[in-house]
Amino acid sequence: MIMMPPPSAILRFPSICNPVFVSNYNDTCKFPRVDAVNFLPPTSTKISAAKHPNLPCLTAEKHGLKETDSIDNCRTLSVEEKEGDHQWRGSFEKNLFVAAIRALPGRRMSTLLANFEKDGNFGCISDFNDLLNALVAGNKLNLDLALQLYSRLSSYGLEPDSSTFSAMIECHCKRNDVEEAERVLNQMLDSGCAPPEVSVFTTLIHCFCQRGKLQKAFRALDMMEKVGRKPSVQTYNCLLKGLCYVGRVEEAFELLQDIKKLSTVLPDMYTYTVMMDGYCRVGRSDEAMELMKEALEMELQPTAVSFNALFHGYNKEGRPLKGIKLLQQMEQRGLSPDYVCYSTLLRGLLLWRQIPAAALIYEQMVGCGYEADEGLMNNLLRGLCNRRTLADDGLFQVAHQVFEKMKKRGFTIDCRAYNVVIEVLCRLNKVDDALVSLREMINLGSTPRVITLNILIRTLCERREANKAVGILVLMLENHIQLPRLSYDSLIDELNRQCLYFGASSVYSSALVRGVVPQNEPHT
């Protein structure tokens, strides 16, 4: 018995269409904006480009602010904050906050909670940052609480430092609010704090690239170099992915060449995978394959995601059979193809009507413990039952196994697949199985095609089983499905041949009542 792999086994191998640039930031797009929350603390820090004349244009003017505006003017303070009251607005809000702290891991959080419940304050900015970072590392609700906590910073008598600003940049990026993240970065640089670490810049650049704001992403790259932060390979990978995603593969390739010239950064396998995917997206799989060879010469170890990019490329160009050779190369290198590799290759083979090869890949896929999903199984079933492949009895045996497996797994078999299966069963003289499938199909609420009914009734008549053919007529009438004229003709002709004239007359009358005039008439 073939066991399905657990979902975790499948989810371990993400598609190249959605790679993870920075492991901690792959969910940034999932969080909606909450505009009702005040984002910036009421400090008196001035925003002035004059302090950093060499920085790129990530300035206050981009946000509609004047250079003389202070951060106090960026939002409206509540009455409680104007009076210096650092207490929370309501007991429910404070209880929610306290409950969130209790849920955070580590003894440090317990100490912070004890101090906070005792006097409602923080001893120093370091304590505040510890809690802020713990909240930012949490779920969406904790991100909301982090924003609320940050908005009350001045009420605790504290000033933000580099760690505070960095935590908020990450928070806004996780919420996919890159404009706010950019504004916090400007505030951070204008405050005189130490610039963010490379990982923070990388997070921001990743967020810009996800939003298609490549110009701002490259400005952020220029900025991090001007403030003395050297981009990492992850930083460049974000930019490469952003360029490839919008089809600017030539610029991405030039950037790759520049990266290889740097003494501080070495391209990794993910760098090459991103570039390969970019070439495959625009129909240049051969160039992607050259990059794979270059990566192997550098003794980089390709992953299943790397090969999957090539599978997608060959499918897109109508060359899925090249994917089979690629699969063999994976196995030769000791790399086991995952579910995504098999399913991608199988879809391509079915799309381009390479049915025998698709059957082999499916059997290999099942042998490795993977099972296709419902949609792919329907596609496979239709491909295997195609009239062009009926001459191959082996292919039909695979089709029958797929059909039975789909029923056992409770999959919905679409109407087209059922029709094809019934016709194939008739051609292989397995009429009883065809009748069972017909009844299943009708019970599921699907209507058989006219050609399917004609084939089934004609097959029964040729087998001199007119009684079963009449049973089909009754089944169709019970389910208010109109039989075609050819089906009535076949029935009447067979009943006449067996001298069942009364039955032939009944069928003829049934046709007339339903507005169908058969060409054959009952004998008397």
Side-chain angles (χ1 to χ4, degrees), residues 414-497:
D414 64 35
C415 183
R416 291 176 298 171
Y418 255 116
N419 278 295
V420 173
V421 167
I422 292 170
E423 294 170 26
V424 171
L425 288 169
C426 289
R427 285 184 169 86
L428 296 175
N429 211 25
K430 297 185 178 183
V431 183
D432 290 337
D433 291 340
L435 289 172
V436 172
S437 297
L438 177 65
R439 186 172 290 277
E440 289 174 353
M441 180 182 182
I442 293 174
N443 290 339
L444 291 172
S446 299
T447 302
R449 297 187 305 178
V450 170
I451 188 173
T452 303
L453 291 173
N454 282 338
I455 290 172
L456 184 53
I457 290 175
R458 187 171 65 249
T459 302
L460 287 169
C461 290
E462 290 172 354
R463 289 165 55 94
R464 303 301 175 92
E465 297 183 89
N467 57 331
K468 292 183 179 180
V470 173
I472 293 177
L473 171 61
V474 174
L475 180 63
M476 297 300 103
L477 296 179
E478 287 176 349
N479 289 275
H480 308 287
I481 299 173
Q482 180 67 282
L483 275 174
R485 182 177 61 82
L486 289 175
S487 297
Y488 282 108
D489 285 336
S490 297
L491 271 173
I492 294 170
D493 184 58
E494 179 59 26
L495 290 169
N496 283 334
R497 184 164 48 248

Coordinates of all heavy atoms in Angstrom, one line a residue, residues 414-497:
D414 N -13.9 14.5 -12.6 CA -14.7 15.4 -13.4 C -15.4 14.7 -14.5 O -15.1 13.5 -14.8 CB -13.9 16.6 -13.9 CG -12.8 16.1 -14.9 OD1 -13.0 15.2 -15.7 OD2 -11.7 16.8 -14.9
C415 N -16.4 15.4 -15.0 CA -17.3 14.7 -16.0 C -16.6 14.2 -17.3 O -16.8 13.1 -17.8 CB -18.4 15.7 -16.4 SG -19.6 15.1 -17.6
R416 N -15.6 15.0 -17.7 CA -14.8 14.6 -18.9 C -14.1 13.3 -18.7 O -14.0 12.4 -19.5 CB -13.9 15.7 -19.3 CG -14.6 17.0 -19.8 CD -13.5 18.1 -20.1 NE -12.8 18.5 -18.9 CZ -11.8 19.3 -18.9 NH1 -11.3 19.7 -20.0 NH2 -11.2 19.6 -17.7
A417 N -13.5 13.2 -17.5 CA -12.7 12.0 -17.2 C -13.7 10.8 -17.1 O -13.3 9.7 -17.7 CB -12.0 12.1 -15.9
Y418 N -14.8 10.9 -16.5 CA -15.8 9.8 -16.4 C -16.2 9.4 -17.8 O -16.3 8.2 -18.1 CB -17.0 10.2 -15.6 CG -17.1 9.6 -14.3 CD1 -17.0 10.4 -13.1 CD2 -17.2 8.3 -14.1 CE1 -17.1 9.9 -11.9 CE2 -17.2 7.7 -12.8 CZ -17.2 8.5 -11.7 OH -17.2 8.0 -10.5
N419 N -16.5 10.3 -18.7 CA -16.9 10.0 -20.1 C -15.9 9.2 -20.8 O -16.2 8.2 -21.4 CB -17.3 11.3 -20.9 CG -18.6 11.8 -20.6 OD1 -19.6 11.1 -20.9 ND2 -18.7 13.0 -20.0
V420 N -14.6 9.6 -20.7 CA -13.5 8.9 -21.4 C -13.3 7.5 -20.8 O -13.1 6.6 -21.6 CB -12.2 9.8 -21.3 CG1 -11.1 9.0 -21.8 CG2 -12.4 11.1 -22.0
V421 N -13.4 7.4 -19.5 CA -13.3 6.1 -18.9 C -14.4 5.1 -19.3 O -14.1 3.9 -19.7 CB -13.3 6.2 -17.3 CG1 -13.4 4.8 -16.7 CG2 -12.0 6.9 -16.8
I422 N -15.6 5.6 -19.4 CA -16.7 4.7 -19.8 C -16.5 4.3 -21.3 O -16.7 3.1 -21.6 CB -18.1 5.5 -19.7 CG1 -18.4 5.7 -18.2 CG2 -19.2 4.7 -20.4 CD1 -19.6 6.6 -18.0
E423 N -16.1 5.2 -22.1 CA -15.8 4.9 -23.5 C -14.7 3.8 -23.7 O -14.8 2.9 -24.5 CB -15.5 6.1 -24.3 CG -16.7 7.1 -24.4 CD -16.3 8.4 -25.0 OE1 -15.3 8.5 -25.7 OE2 -17.0 9.4 -24.7
V424 N -13.7 4.0 -22.9 CA -12.5 3.1 -23.0 C -12.9 1.7 -22.5 O -12.6 0.7 -23.1 CB -11.3 3.6 -22.1 CG1 -10.2 2.6 -22.0 CG2 -10.8 4.9 -22.8
L425 N -13.7 1.7 -21.4 CA -14.2 0.4 -20.9 C -15.0 -0.4 -21.9 O -14.9 -1.6 -22.1 CB -15.0 0.6 -19.6 CG -14.1 1.0 -18.4 CD1 -15.1 1.4 -17.2 CD2 -13.2 -0.2 -17.9
C426 N -15.8 0.4 -22.6 CA -16.6 -0.2 -23.7 C -15.7 -0.8 -24.8 O -15.9 -1.9 -25.3 CB -17.6 0.8 -24.3 SG -19.0 1.2 -23.2
R427 N -14.7 -0.1 -25.2 CA -13.8 -0.5 -26.3 C -13.0 -1.7 -25.9 O -12.7 -2.6 -26.7 CB -12.9 0.6 -26.7 CG -13.6 1.7 -27.5 CD -12.6 2.7 -28.0 NE -13.2 3.6 -29.0 CZ -13.9 4.7 -28.7 NH1 -14.1 5.1 -27.5 NH2 -14.4 5.4 -29.7
L428 N -12.8 -1.9 -24.5 CA -12.0 -3.0 -24.1 C -13.0 -4.1 -23.6 O -12.6 -5.1 -23.0 CB -11.1 -2.6 -22.9 CG -10.0 -1.6 -23.2 CD1 -9.3 -1.2 -22.0 CD2 -9.1 -2.2 -24.2
N429 N -14.3 -4.0 -24.0 CA -15.3 -5.0 -23.7 C -15.5 -5.2 -22.2 O -15.9 -6.3 -21.8 CB -14.9 -6.3 -24.4 CG -16.1 -7.1 -24.8 OD1 -17.2 -6.6 -25.0 ND2 -16.0 -8.4 -24.9
K430 N -15.3 -4.2 -21.4 CA -15.6 -4.3 -20.0 C -16.8 -3.5 -19.7 O -16.8 -2.5 -19.0 CB -14.4 -3.8 -19.2 CG -13.1 -4.6 -19.4 CD -12.0 -4.1 -18.5 CE -10.7 -4.9 -18.7 NZ -9.6 -4.6 -17.7
V431 N -17.9 -4.0 -20.3 CA -19.2 -3.3 -20.2 C -19.8 -3.2 -18.8 O -20.3 -2.1 -18.5 CB -20.2 -3.9 -21.2 CG1 -21.5 -3.1 -21.3 CG2 -19.6 -4.1 -22.6
D432 N -19.7 -4.2 -18.0 CA -20.2 -4.2 -16.7 C -19.5 -3.1 -15.9 O -20.2 -2.3 -15.1 CB -20.1 -5.5 -16.0 CG -21.0 -6.6 -16.6 OD1 -22.0 -6.2 -17.2 OD2 -20.7 -7.8 -16.5
D433 N -18.2 -3.0 -16.0 CA -17.5 -1.9 -15.3 C -18.0 -0.5 -15.9 O -18.1 0.5 -15.1 CB -16.0 -2.0 -15.5 CG -15.4 -3.2 -14.8 OD1 -16.1 -3.7 -13.9 OD2 -14.3 -3.7 -15.2
A434 N -18.2 -0.4 -17.2 CA -18.7 0.8 -17.7 C -20.1 1.2 -17.2 O -20.3 2.4 -16.9 CB -18.8 0.7 -19.3
L435 N -21.0 0.2 -17.0 CA -22.3 0.5 -16.4 C -22.2 1.0 -15.0 O -22.9 1.9 -14.6 CB -23.2 -0.8 -16.5 CG -23.6 -1.2 -17.9 CD1 -24.3 -2.6 -17.8 CD2 -24.6 -0.2 -18.5
V436 N -21.3 0.4 -14.2 CA -21.1 0.8 -12.8 C -20.6 2.3 -12.8 O -21.1 3.1 -12.0 CB -20.1 -0.1 -12.1 CG1 -19.7 0.5 -10.8 CG2 -20.6 -1.5 -11.9
S437 N -19.7 2.6 -13.7 CA -19.1 4.0 -13.8 C -20.2 5.0 -14.2 O -20.2 6.1 -13.8 CB -17.9 4.0 -14.7 OG -16.9 3.2 -14.3
L438 N -21.1 4.5 -15.1 CA -22.1 5.4 -15.6 C -23.1 5.7 -14.4 O -23.5 6.9 -14.3 CB -22.9 4.7 -16.7 CG -24.2 5.5 -17.3 CD1 -23.7 6.8 -17.9 CD2 -25.0 4.6 -18.2
R439 N -23.4 4.7 -13.7 CA -24.3 5.0 -12.5 C -23.7 5.9 -11.5 O -24.3 6.8 -10.9 CB -24.8 3.7 -11.9 CG -25.8 3.9 -10.8 CD -26.4 2.5 -10.3 NE -27.2 1.9 -11.4 CZ -28.5 2.2 -11.6 NH1 -29.1 3.1 -10.8 NH2 -29.1 1.6 -12.5
E440 N -22.4 5.7 -11.2 CA -21.6 6.6 -10.3 C -21.6 8.0 -10.8 O -21.8 9.0 -10.1 CB -20.2 6.1 -10.2 CG -20.1 4.8 -9.4 CD -18.6 4.3 -9.4 OE1 -17.8 4.9 -10.1 OE2 -18.3 3.3 -8.7
M441 N -21.4 8.1 -12.1 CA -21.4 9.5 -12.7 C -22.7 10.2 -12.6 O -22.7 11.4 -12.2 CB -21.0 9.3 -14.2 CG -20.9 10.6 -15.0 SD -20.6 10.3 -16.7 CE -20.4 12.0 -17.3
I442 N -23.8 9.5 -12.8 CA -25.1 10.1 -12.7 C -25.4 10.5 -11.2 O -26.0 11.5 -10.9 CB -26.2 9.2 -13.3 CG1 -26.0 9.1 -14.8 CG2 -27.6 9.7 -13.0 CD1 -26.9 8.1 -15.5
N443 N -25.0 9.6 -10.3 CA -25.3 9.8 -8.9 C -24.5 11.0 -8.4 O -25.0 11.7 -7.4 CB -24.9 8.6 -8.1 CG -25.8 7.4 -8.3 OD1 -27.0 7.6 -8.7 ND2 -25.4 6.2 -8.0
L444 N -23.4 11.3 -9.0 CA -22.6 12.5 -8.7 C -23.2 13.8 -9.3 O -22.7 14.9 -9.1 CB -21.2 12.3 -9.1 CG -20.4 11.3 -8.3 CD1 -19.0 11.1 -9.0 CD2 -20.2 11.7 -6.9
G445 N -24.3 13.7 -10.1 CA -24.9 14.8 -10.7 C -24.3 15.2 -12.0 O -24.6 16.3 -12.5
S446 N -23.5 14.4 -12.7 CA -23.0 14.7 -14.0 C -23.8 14.0 -15.1 O -24.4 13.0 -14.9 CB -21.5 14.2 -14.1 OG -20.7 14.8 -13.1
T447 N -23.8 14.7 -16.2 CA -24.6 14.2 -17.4 C -23.6 13.6 -18.4 O -22.7 14.3 -18.8 CB -25.4 15.3 -18.0 OG1 -26.3 15.9 -17.1 CG2 -26.2 14.8 -19.2
P448 N -23.8 12.4 -18.8 CA -22.9 11.8 -19.8 C -23.1 12.4 -21.2 O -24.1 12.9 -21.5 CB -23.3 10.3 -19.8 CG -24.7 10.3 -19.3 CD -24.8 11.4 -18.3
R449 N -22.0 12.4 -21.9 CA -22.0 12.9 -23.3 C -22.9 12.0 -24.2 O -23.0 10.8 -23.9 CB -20.6 13.1 -23.9 CG -19.7 14.0 -23.1 CD -18.4 14.2 -23.9 NE -17.7 13.0 -24.1 CZ -16.6 12.9 -24.8 NH1 -16.0 14.0 -25.3 NH2 -16.0 11.7 -25.0
V450 N -23.4 12.6 -25.2 CA -24.2 11.9 -26.2 C -23.4 10.8 -26.8 O -23.8 9.6 -26.9 CB -24.7 12.8 -27.3 CG1 -25.4 12.0 -28.5 CG2 -25.7 13.8 -26.8
I451 N -22.1 11.0 -27.2 CA -21.3 10.0 -27.8 C -21.0 8.9 -26.8 O -20.9 7.7 -27.2 CB -20.0 10.7 -28.3 CG1 -19.2 9.6 -29.2 CG2 -19.1 11.2 -27.2 CD1 -18.0 10.2 -29.8
T452 N -20.9 9.2 -25.6 CA -20.7 8.2 -24.5 C -21.9 7.2 -24.5 O -21.7 6.0 -24.4 CB -20.4 8.8 -23.2 OG1 -19.3 9.7 -23.3 CG2 -20.1 7.8 -22.1
L453 N -23.1 7.8 -24.4 CA -24.3 7.0 -24.3 C -24.4 6.1 -25.6 O -24.8 4.9 -25.5 CB -25.5 7.8 -24.2 CG -25.6 8.5 -22.8 CD1 -26.8 9.5 -22.8 CD2 -25.8 7.5 -21.7
N454 N -24.2 6.7 -26.7 CA -24.3 5.9 -28.0 C -23.3 4.7 -28.0 O -23.7 3.6 -28.4 CB -24.0 6.8 -29.2 CG -25.1 7.7 -29.5 OD1 -26.3 7.4 -29.2 ND2 -24.9 8.8 -30.2
I455 N -22.1 5.0 -27.6 CA -21.1 3.9 -27.6 C -21.5 2.8 -26.6 O -21.4 1.6 -26.9 CB -19.7 4.5 -27.1 CG1 -19.1 5.4 -28.3 CG2 -18.7 3.3 -26.8 CD1 -17.9 6.1 -27.9
L456 N -22.0 3.2 -25.4 CA -22.4 2.2 -24.4 C -23.6 1.4 -24.9 O -23.6 0.1 -24.8 CB -22.7 2.9 -23.1 CG -23.0 2.0 -21.9 CD1 -21.9 0.9 -21.7 CD2 -23.2 2.8 -20.7
I457 N -24.6 2.0 -25.4 CA -25.8 1.3 -25.9 C -25.5 0.4 -27.1 O -25.9 -0.7 -27.2 CB -26.9 2.3 -26.2 CG1 -27.5 2.9 -24.9 CG2 -28.1 1.6 -26.9 CD1 -28.5 4.0 -25.1
R458 N -24.7 1.0 -28.0 CA -24.3 0.2 -29.2 C -23.5 -1.1 -28.8 O -23.7 -2.1 -29.4 CB -23.5 1.0 -30.2 CG -23.3 0.3 -31.5 CD -22.7 1.3 -32.5 NE -21.4 1.8 -32.2 CZ -21.1 3.0 -31.9 NH1 -22.1 3.9 -31.9 NH2 -19.9 3.4 -31.5
T459 N -22.6 -0.9 -27.8 CA -21.8 -2.0 -27.4 C -22.7 -3.1 -26.7 O -22.5 -4.3 -27.0 CB -20.8 -1.5 -26.3 OG1 -19.9 -0.5 -26.9 CG2 -19.9 -2.7 -25.9
L460 N -23.7 -2.7 -25.9 CA -24.6 -3.7 -25.3 C -25.4 -4.4 -26.4 O -25.6 -5.6 -26.3 CB -25.5 -3.0 -24.3 CG -24.8 -2.5 -23.0 CD1 -25.7 -1.6 -22.2 CD2 -24.4 -3.7 -22.2
C461 N -25.8 -3.6 -27.4 CA -26.6 -4.3 -28.5 C -25.8 -5.2 -29.3 O -26.3 -6.3 -29.7 CB -27.2 -3.2 -29.4 SG -28.5 -2.2 -28.6
E462 N -24.5 -4.9 -29.5 CA -23.7 -5.8 -30.2 C -23.4 -7.1 -29.4 O -23.2 -8.2 -30.0 CB -22.3 -5.1 -30.5 CG -22.4 -4.0 -31.6 CD -21.2 -3.3 -31.8 OE1 -20.2 -3.5 -30.9 OE2 -21.1 -2.4 -32.6
R463 N -23.5 -7.0 -28.1 CA -23.3 -8.1 -27.2 C -24.6 -8.9 -27.0 O -24.7 -9.8 -26.2 CB -22.7 -7.7 -25.9 CG -21.2 -7.2 -25.9 CD -20.9 -6.5 -24.7 NE -21.2 -7.2 -23.5 CZ -20.3 -8.0 -22.8 NH1 -19.0 -8.1 -23.3 NH2 -20.6 -8.6 -21.7
R464 N -25.6 -8.5 -27.7 CA -27.0 -9.1 -27.6 C -27.5 -9.0 -26.1 O -28.1 -9.9 -25.6 CB -26.9 -10.5 -28.0 CG -26.4 -10.8 -29.4 CD -27.4 -10.0 -30.4 NE -26.9 -10.1 -31.8 CZ -27.2 -11.1 -32.7 NH1 -28.1 -12.0 -32.3 NH2 -26.8 -11.1 -33.9
E465 N -27.2 -7.8 -25.5 CA -27.7 -7.6 -24.1 C -28.6 -6.4 -24.2 O -28.4 -5.4 -23.5 CB -26.5 -7.3 -23.2 CG -25.6 -8.5 -23.0 CD -24.5 -8.3 -22.0 OE1 -24.7 -8.5 -20.8 OE2 -23.4 -7.8 -22.4
A466 N -29.7 -6.6 -24.9 CA -30.7 -5.5 -25.1 C -31.4 -5.1 -23.8 O -31.8 -4.0 -23.6 CB -31.8 -5.9 -26.1
N467 N -31.5 -6.1 -22.9 CA -32.2 -5.8 -21.6 C -31.4 -4.8 -20.8 O -31.9 -3.9 -20.2 CB -32.3 -7.1 -20.8 CG -31.0 -7.8 -20.5 OD1 -30.1 -7.7 -21.4 ND2 -30.9 -8.5 -19.4
K468 N -30.0 -4.9 -20.8 CA -29.2 -3.9 -20.1 C -29.2 -2.5 -20.8 O -29.2 -1.5 -20.2 CB -27.7 -4.4 -20.1 CG -27.5 -5.6 -19.1 CD -26.1 -6.0 -19.1 CE -25.9 -7.2 -18.1 NZ -24.5 -7.6 -18.0
A469 N -29.3 -2.6 -22.2 CA -29.4 -1.3 -22.9 C -30.7 -0.6 -22.6 O -30.8 0.6 -22.4 CB -29.4 -1.6 -24.4
V470 N -31.8 -1.4 -22.4 CA -33.1 -0.8 -22.0 C -33.0 -0.2 -20.6 O -33.6 0.8 -20.3 CB -34.3 -1.8 -22.1 CG1 -35.5 -1.2 -21.5 CG2 -34.5 -2.2 -23.6
G471 N -32.2 -0.9 -19.8 CA -32.0 -0.4 -18.4 C -31.3 1.0 -18.4 O -31.6 1.8 -17.6
I472 N -30.4 1.2 -19.4 CA -29.8 2.5 -19.5 C -30.8 3.5 -19.9 O -30.8 4.7 -19.3 CB -28.7 2.5 -20.5 CG1 -27.5 1.6 -20.0 CG2 -28.2 3.9 -20.8 CD1 -26.4 1.4 -21.0
L473 N -31.8 3.2 -20.8 CA -32.8 4.1 -21.2 C -33.7 4.5 -19.9 O -34.0 5.6 -19.7 CB -33.7 3.4 -22.2 CG -35.0 4.2 -22.6 CD1 -34.7 5.5 -23.2 CD2 -35.8 3.4 -23.6
V474 N -34.0 3.5 -19.1 CA -34.8 3.8 -17.9 C -34.0 4.7 -17.0 O -34.6 5.6 -16.4 CB -35.2 2.4 -17.3 CG1 -35.9 2.7 -15.9 CG2 -36.1 1.6 -18.2
L475 N -32.7 4.4 -16.8 CA -31.9 5.2 -15.9 C -31.9 6.6 -16.4 O -32.0 7.6 -15.6 CB -30.5 4.6 -15.8 CG -29.5 5.3 -14.9 CD1 -29.9 5.3 -13.5 CD2 -28.1 4.7 -15.1
M476 N -31.7 6.8 -17.7 CA -31.7 8.2 -18.2 C -33.0 8.9 -18.0 O -33.0 10.1 -17.6 CB -31.4 8.2 -19.7 CG -30.0 7.6 -20.1 SD -28.6 8.5 -19.3 CE -28.2 7.4 -18.0
L477 N -34.1 8.2 -18.2 CA -35.4 8.8 -18.1 C -35.7 9.2 -16.6 O -36.3 10.2 -16.3 CB -36.5 7.9 -18.6 CG -36.5 7.6 -20.1 CD1 -37.6 6.6 -20.5 CD2 -36.5 8.9 -20.9
E478 N -35.3 8.3 -15.7 CA -35.5 8.6 -14.3 C -34.7 9.8 -13.8 O -35.1 10.5 -12.9 CB -35.0 7.4 -13.4 CG -35.9 6.2 -13.5 CD -35.4 5.0 -12.7 OE1 -34.2 5.1 -12.3 OE2 -36.1 4.0 -12.5
N479 N -33.6 10.1 -14.5 CA -32.8 11.3 -14.1 C -33.0 12.4 -15.1 O -32.2 13.4 -15.1 CB -31.3 10.9 -14.1 CG -31.0 10.0 -12.9 OD1 -30.7 10.4 -11.8 ND2 -31.0 8.6 -13.1
H480 N -34.1 12.3 -15.9 CA -34.4 13.4 -16.8 C -33.3 13.8 -17.7 O -33.0 15.0 -18.0 CB -34.9 14.7 -16.0 CG -35.9 14.4 -14.9 ND1 -37.2 14.1 -15.2 CD2 -35.8 14.3 -13.5 CE1 -37.9 13.9 -14.1 NE2 -37.0 14.0 -13.0
I481 N -32.7 12.8 -18.2 CA -31.6 13.0 -19.2 C -32.1 12.4 -20.6 O -32.5 11.3 -20.7 CB -30.3 12.2 -18.8 CG1 -29.8 12.8 -17.5 CG2 -29.2 12.4 -19.9 CD1 -28.6 12.0 -16.9
Q482 N -32.1 13.3 -21.6 CA -32.6 12.9 -22.9 C -31.6 12.1 -23.7 O -30.4 12.5 -23.8 CB -32.9 14.2 -23.7 CG -33.5 14.0 -25.1 CD -34.9 13.3 -25.1 OE1 -35.0 12.1 -24.9 NE2 -35.9 14.2 -25.3
L483 N -32.1 10.9 -24.2 CA -31.2 10.1 -25.1 C -31.2 10.6 -26.5 O -32.3 11.1 -27.0 CB -31.7 8.7 -25.1 CG -31.2 7.7 -23.9 CD1 -32.0 6.4 -24.0 CD2 -29.7 7.5 -24.0
P484 N -30.1 10.5 -27.2 CA -30.1 11.0 -28.6 C -30.9 10.0 -29.5 O -31.1 8.8 -29.1 CB -28.6 11.0 -28.9 CG -28.0 10.0 -28.0 CD -28.8 10.0 -26.7
R485 N -31.2 10.4 -30.7 CA -31.9 9.6 -31.6 C -31.2 8.3 -32.0 O -31.8 7.2 -32.1 CB -32.2 10.4 -32.9 CG -33.1 9.6 -33.9 CD -33.4 10.5 -35.1 NE -32.2 10.9 -35.8 CZ -31.5 10.1 -36.7 NH1 -31.9 8.9 -37.0 NH2 -30.4 10.6 -37.3
L486 N -29.9 8.4 -32.1 CA -29.1 7.2 -32.5 C -29.2 6.1 -31.5 O -29.2 4.9 -31.8 CB -27.6 7.6 -32.7 CG -27.3 8.5 -33.9 CD1 -25.8 8.9 -33.9 CD2 -27.6 7.7 -35.2
S487 N -29.3 6.5 -30.2 CA -29.4 5.5 -29.1 C -30.8 4.8 -29.3 O -30.8 3.6 -29.1 CB -29.3 6.2 -27.8 OG -28.0 6.8 -27.6
Y488 N -31.8 5.5 -29.6 CA -33.1 4.9 -29.8 C -33.1 4.0 -31.0 O -33.6 2.9 -30.9 CB -34.2 6.0 -30.0 CG -34.7 6.7 -28.7 CD1 -34.3 8.0 -28.4 CD2 -35.5 6.0 -27.8 CE1 -34.7 8.6 -27.3 CE2 -35.9 6.6 -26.6 CZ -35.5 7.9 -26.4 OH -36.0 8.5 -25.2
D489 N -32.5 4.4 -32.0 CA -32.4 3.6 -33.2 C -31.6 2.2 -32.9 O -32.1 1.2 -33.4 CB -31.6 4.3 -34.4 CG -32.5 5.4 -35.0 OD1 -33.8 5.2 -34.9 OD2 -31.9 6.3 -35.6
S490 N -30.5 2.3 -32.2 CA -29.8 1.1 -31.9 C -30.6 0.2 -31.0 O -30.6 -1.1 -31.2 CB -28.5 1.5 -31.1 OG -27.6 2.3 -31.9
L491 N -31.4 0.7 -30.1 CA -32.2 -0.1 -29.2 C -33.3 -0.8 -30.0 O -33.6 -2.0 -29.9 CB -32.8 0.7 -28.1 CG -32.0 0.9 -26.8 CD1 -32.7 1.9 -25.9 CD2 -31.9 -0.4 -26.1
I492 N -34.0 0.0 -30.8 CA -35.1 -0.6 -31.6 C -34.6 -1.6 -32.5 O -35.2 -2.7 -32.7 CB -35.9 0.6 -32.3 CG1 -36.5 1.5 -31.3 CG2 -36.9 0.0 -33.3 CD1 -37.1 2.8 -32.0
D493 N -33.5 -1.4 -33.2 CA -32.9 -2.3 -34.2 C -32.6 -3.7 -33.5 O -32.9 -4.8 -34.0 CB -31.7 -1.7 -34.8 CG -31.2 -2.6 -35.9 OD1 -31.9 -3.0 -36.8 OD2 -30.0 -3.0 -35.8
E494 N -32.0 -3.6 -32.3 CA -31.6 -4.8 -31.6 C -32.8 -5.6 -31.1 O -32.9 -6.8 -31.1 CB -30.7 -4.5 -30.4 CG -30.2 -5.6 -29.6 CD -29.5 -6.7 -30.4 OE1 -28.9 -6.3 -31.4 OE2 -29.5 -7.9 -29.9
L495 N -33.8 -4.8 -30.6 CA -35.0 -5.5 -30.1 C -35.8 -6.2 -31.2 O -36.3 -7.3 -31.1 CB -35.9 -4.5 -29.4 CG -35.4 -4.0 -28.0 CD1 -36.2 -2.8 -27.5 CD2 -35.4 -5.1 -27.0
N496 N -35.8 -5.5 -32.4 CA -36.4 -6.2 -33.6 C -35.7 -7.4 -33.9 O -36.3 -8.5 -34.3 CB -36.4 -5.2 -34.7 CG -37.5 -4.1 -34.7 OD1 -38.5 -4.4 -34.0 ND2 -37.3 -3.0 -35.3
R497 N -34.3 -7.4 -33.9 CA -33.5 -8.5 -34.2 C -33.8 -9.7 -33.3 O -33.7 -10.9 -33.7 CB -32.0 -8.2 -34.2 CG -31.1 -9.3 -34.7 CD -29.7 -8.9 -35.1 NE -29.1 -8.0 -34.1 CZ -28.8 -6.7 -34.3 NH1 -29.1 -6.2 -35.5 NH2 -28.2 -6.0 -33.4

